[in-house]
Amino acid sequence: MTKNVSIFQRPAWVVVFAMTAAIAWGWAFPLIKVGFNAFGITTDMTGSKMLFAGIRFAAAGLIILSVARSSRRSFTTSKASDWWFILAFALMNTTLHYFFFYVGMSHSEGSRAAILNSLGTFLVVLLACACFKSDKLTPQKIVGCMVGFCGILALNIGGAESGQFTWLGDGMIILNALCGALSNLMTRGLSRRINVFVGTGYSLTIGGLLLIIPGLLWGGTLPHINALGIVCLLLLIAISAIGFALYNKLLSCNPVGRVAIFNSLIPIVGAVTSCLCLGETFHQKYVLAGGLAALGIYLINKRKN
């Protein structure tokens, strides 16, 4: 019986793959900030941010599609109307998701954004309970979400010098988290319509192009092309290709909660690496906020539901 179980459903490999995706995404926070600085993209250059993001995701999508083609995965859909779902998934999973993310990142500290982004995990848990019979809302999940939300609120403890809520910073990251949660739920629908690796490749490529085109129309450029900027962009492309391919496959064949627990690593890795790489001030409240966010996700998943 064990031999017939997919490697993406075996507990040990679920841990390895989910941790790989989460740690990689945590590193994306400082890499984006460094990339912006290297290319000379300032906070008011919305078109350039969209171009930067679009290149990252379109390239990652093309890599995934190339790998899928070389491994002879099926590119066919169940029916022609499935392409509308794939387009909607691309808009939610890539275009809107990362438009909000990149705008928010340029108006917020990377460490703060990393912790706030964990809001998406709790939204996934609550929305999954509302949408799927296999995910039931239990007292354990309610307590976990309450603890996690307290962690998000803890970000706004203290005066202005320790960071406060802003619409262009925190507000955009919250919208990004909502888009991420919704696209997580849509992954199951994607896997029923097309091979999940192929669908992930299409969503990143299409979503990336839908960022590049308006980015160019809004005058987006990469003002100062240099080695550091290119290295950051290449690393971000690799993070997207590996992270999304692994994570979407895991979501397609495991309960959402079982995979989501590993997202507790993202705010921790993101906050620490942002402070180390960017020289940001590590406020004490980050320890409290990150700890509560991680604890909330742990409580939600500490035993099989």
Side-chain angles (χ1 to χ4, degrees):
M1 182 70 73
T2 304
K3 293 182 179 179
N4 296 325
V5 176
S6 165
I7 190 173
F8 292 98
Q9 293 176 298
R10 297 177 185 174
W13 285 105
V14 169
V15 171
V16 171
F17 292 146
M19 284 185 65
T20 299
I23 292 172
W25 279 329
W27 272 97
F29 290 89
L31 285 172
I32 290 170
K33 301 282 281 189
V34 173
F36 280 172
N37 291 333
F39 283 123
I41 299 173
T42 58
T43 56
D44 60 335
M45 298 172 67
T46 302
S48 295
K49 295 172 199 171
M50 295 177 70
L51 178 62
F52 183 92
I55 293 172
R56 171 191 174 186
F57 296 113
L62 290 173
I63 290 172
I64 293 175
L65 290 175
S66 298
V67 173
R69 176 66 71 184
S70 64
S71 58
R72 298 184 178 181
R73 296 182 185 273
S74 174
F75 276 65
T76 58
T77 59
S78 302
K79 49 190 176 181
S81 60
D82 289 341
W83 283 103
W84 289 108
F85 185 91
I86 294 172
L87 177 59
F89 183 75
L91 285 168
M92 186 64 67
N93 185 61
T94 306
T95 306
L96 293 175
H97 185 182
Y98 284 98
F99 170 77
F100 294 135
F101 182 73
Y102 274 65
V103 172
M105 276 295 295
S106 65
H107 290 86
S108 177
E109 292 185 337
S111 49
R112 181 183 178 87
I115 298 170
L116 186 60
N117 194 54
S118 64
L119 174 65
T121 302
F122 306 110
L123 292 176
V124 166
V125 172
L126 296 176
L127 291 172
C129 293
C131 298
F132 303 124
K133 293 181 179 179
S134 60
D135 291 90
K136 300 185 182 301
L137 186 62
T138 63
Q140 175 182 317
K141 289 181 179 180
I142 293 173
V143 172
C145 286
M146 290 176 64
V147 171
F149 283 126
C150 286
I152 304 301
L153 293 175
L155 279 177
N156 294 292
I157 294 174
E161 70 282 355
S162 62
Q164 289 185 319
F165 180 90
T166 62
W167 285 109
L168 282 177
D170 297 353
M172 293 294 105
I173 296 297
I174 290 172
L175 289 175
N176 150 75
L178 177 59
C179 288
L182 292 173
S183 61
N184 276 193
L185 301 183
M186 292 174 70
T187 302
R188 290 189 182 181
L190 180 73
S191 65
R192 290 196 294 266
R193 291 168 169 81
I194 195 171
N195 177 277
V196 71
F197 281 118
V198 175
T200 298
Y202 276 137
S203 74
L204 290 174
T205 303
I206 296 170
L209 290 174
L210 291 176
L211 284 166
I212 290 174
I213 294 171
L216 291 172
L217 292 175
W218 288 356
T221 62
L222 301 180
H224 307 297
I225 297 177
N226 53 72
L228 178 58
I230 292 173
V231 168
C232 287
L233 187 54
L234 289 175
L235 288 173
L236 287 167
I237 289 170
I239 286 172
S240 294
I242 295 170
F244 275 107
L246 290 177
Y247 193 71
N248 285 354
K249 181 61 179 178
L250 291 173
L251 284 177
S252 72
C253 54
N254 292 283
V256 172
R258 188 178 299 171
V259 179
I261 182 175
F262 298 98
N263 286 350
S264 62
L265 291 172
I266 297 176
I268 297 171
V269 174
V272 172
T273 55
S274 291
C275 291
L276 291 175
C277 298
L278 305 175
E280 295 177 353
T281 302
F282 192 87
H283 301 293
Q284 290 185 351
K285 66 180 179 181
Y286 287 174
V287 177
L288 175 61
L292 287 173
L295 177 60
I297 298 170
Y298 169 75
L299 290 174
I300 290 169
N301 296 278
K302 69 177 181 178
R303 65 172 68 93
K304 293 182 179 179
N305 294 321

